[in-house]
Amino acid sequence: MPQPTIAPAKPNQSPGLDSPLRGGMPLKHVVESQQFTVPLLMELFERSRGMERVVARGGSLDYQNRIMTTLFYAPSTRTRLSFEAAMHRLGGRVLSTENAGAFSSEVEGEQVEDSIRIIGSYSDVIVIRHLEDDGARRAAEVSPVPVINAGDGKGGQHPTQALLDLYTIYRQRPLDGLSVAIIGELDKGRTARSLAYLLAKFDRVKMFFVSPPQLQMKPDILDYLEEHGVRYELESDIDRVIGEVDVVYQTRIRPERVRDVTDLRSYAIDSTVVQRMKADALILHPLPRTVELDKSVDADPRAMYFRQARYGLYVRMALLTMLLETR
Ligand code: CP
């Protein structure tokens, strides 16, 4: 399968590019962030740079014989549509079930394993958003074609979101040595959980998990960070870290999970909070947002979240090529 031209990586952001692992670890499925090595991430990001140029010239026809199915049991705007746009930009075709809980045979009691076996005989790759934390893993275990986890459960992972989050940072600055505040409902935050695993792969990273104490990051992540010697702090006061960090990764807190609206406001970012951030800080949010990120921030040059969503297209195109080229 012909490959789009790949941009050279920035010299200071290519650890392991000469590693024998580069190109030597074909991806089979994408279920969780931990499975990505730094060389694999760099390969993905190089390809994503190439995809920016492919999209700028209108796309390619390289994958015109390939079919992707999107099987979503929960709502999505960005993930499903950017995957579908990615496949179209690569010249491929798309089968889509956007409300699989209502419009698939699950209504008749079919288990996800059976659905996946069937869909895998119709298409070359399956993108699934499942309601259970291990839904994507269950799908991958039986699938004859690559499965991509597009967000599972209420406290699982969302690895492709984390990949595009990391790519957004990578496009702006070196990944080694970053200090990152990850804010919100972290115990059930799929994107925050997946991003923490990815950031842990880089040298001298420090993470500040900022959350009401009852919604803090769960022990599985904290244990992983400790095992890998990654620095982190648990914090409940946004003011104590907001002026110190290179990246602010804001996420939602659902109102029903806090005592009252004052709790929500104390973790929100608006133009006043932004004034206390570093002049070159990056503000990311996986979106959708509600009150935790005020629209007054949108015009600030540090606001990356709409660019971040656009980068999702390039990263997902790159990921599809990596999964499909080995088949
Ligand atoms: N960030 C994210 O997963 O958005 P969607 O729910 O719209 O896909």
Side-chain angles (χ1 to χ4, degrees), residues 181 208 210 233-245 276:
F208 297 88
V210 185
E233 284 183 27
L234 304 182
E235 183 54 75
S236 58
D237 184 352
I238 197 170
D239 289 330
R240 281 212 283 263
V241 301
I242 205 74
E244 307 298 319
V245 294
R276 301 201 294 274

Side-chain angles (χ1 to χ4, degrees), residues 45 66 83-84 98 106-107 109 122 135 155 164 170 223 233 238 251 269 311 315 326:
F45 292 171
R66 299 306 186 107
F83 263 115
E84 294 184 3
E98 67 187 71
E106 190 178 285
V107 178
Y122 302 152
L164 74 91
Y170 165 88
D223 291 347
E233 284 183 27
I238 197 170
T251 68
I269 295 174
Y311 286 154
V315 172
T326 57

Side-chain angles (χ1 to χ4, degrees), residues 75-80 129 158 161 286-288:
S76 166
T77 298
R78 280 145 289 273
T79 312
R80 185 172 67 82
R129 174 168 288 186
H158 194 346
Q161 177 68 45
L287 304 176

